[in-house]
Structure formats: C-alpha cells, structure tokens
Amino acid sequence: MKSQGVLISAYIATAIIVLVVTVLFLRLYAYTSSYRVEEYGVNIFDIIRSRPKWTAESLAKEIILETNANYVKINIVVYDLLTEEDVDQDYYEIKTVGVDIEELILMKYNYTVTSDAYIYAYYIEVGFR
C-alpha cells in the first residue's frame, strides 16, 4: 500500500514536470495573460512601407485618407551614411479646422529605412478624436 502511494505521487510529480516544461518551451504562458495589443484602424507602418520613398506632403495626405485622422505632422530627415550629415529635411502638417490639438489623442511613430547609403527617418504624429 505504501509503495502504491509512492508510485502515484511519482506519476503526479512527472505529470507536473511535463506540464511545466511544455508551458515553458512552447511559450504558452505568454498567451495566457489578459493583456492584448489590438491595433486601432490602419497600421501607419504599412502605409509607409507601401512606397519606397515619400514626401512629407504625400505621406500626410495618404495617412489622412486611410485613417480619417484629425491631425497629422510629418518630419522626414535624410542622413548620408558616408558624410554623416543631414542631406535633406521635409516637413508637412495637416490640421482639421476647428479642432484643438489638446483635445486629440496623439500617437507618435518613428520609422527608419536605409537605402543607397542614406537613412530615411520618418517622425510621424497622428491625432484622433
């Protein structure tokens, strides 16, 4: 009778170890939390990646069209990797008339891409009601 208890407890301990190892190695624990990231509307990074190069004006207008935002501010800075200097800077801002910026929910995005020894840095601010 005593050996049966030891055998049953060994099976239970083995089952617990297998369960813990499975959770850790398959990373199931990360999916059990109540925290979830859900994207609101259109992904800004997908809009930027839809073209290889943007001007600040065309990107701002595209974001307004895709997201129905009330405020968009774009700043594009081009760095030369060889000379380590700013080569170009492009700025554009769109505001909805009659909407105060303090009343908006502002989201800020930074995106960089490298092309032909240049770094294109996009600094984007988008405001929603």
Side-chain angles (χ1 to χ4, degrees), residues 35-52:
Y35 177 73
R36 291 182 187 220
V37 175
E38 292 188 18
E39 190 175 319
Y40 175 76
V42 179
N43 188 355
I44 300 297
F45 299 117
D46 287 341
I47 295 173
I48 296 171
R49 284 186 220 118
S50 67
R51 275 197 218 166

Side-chain angles (χ1 to χ4, degrees), residues 54-56 74-79 86-92 120-121 123:
W54 287 95
T55 63
I74 308 286
N75 189 12
I76 302 173
V77 181
V78 181
Y79 301 102
D86 294 351
V87 176
D88 190 19
Q89 187 167 1
D90 195 7
Y91 177 83
Y92 196 78
Y120 296 89
Y123 303 103

Side-chain angles (χ1 to χ4, degrees), residues 63-123:
I63 289 174
I64 289 285
L65 284 174
E66 294 286 330
T67 63
N68 294 325
N70 299 94
Y71 172 73
V72 174
K73 180 170 74 172
I74 308 286
N75 189 12
I76 302 173
V77 181
V78 181
Y79 301 102
D80 188 355
L81 290 173
L82 301 175
T83 62
E84 298 178 3
E85 294 178 359
D86 294 351
V87 176
D88 190 19
Q89 187 167 1
D90 195 7
Y91 177 83
Y92 196 78
E93 185 174 10
I94 298 175
K95 297 178 190 176
T96 303
V97 177
V99 176
D100 194 18
I101 294 176
E102 285 95 27
E103 298 173 0
L104 299 176
I105 299 169
L106 291 177
M107 295 185 218
K108 296 181 181 184
Y109 302 92
N110 293 326
Y111 182 79
T112 57
V113 63
T114 306
S115 175
D116 296 331
Y118 293 107
I119 295 178
Y120 296 89
Y122 296 87
Y123 303 103

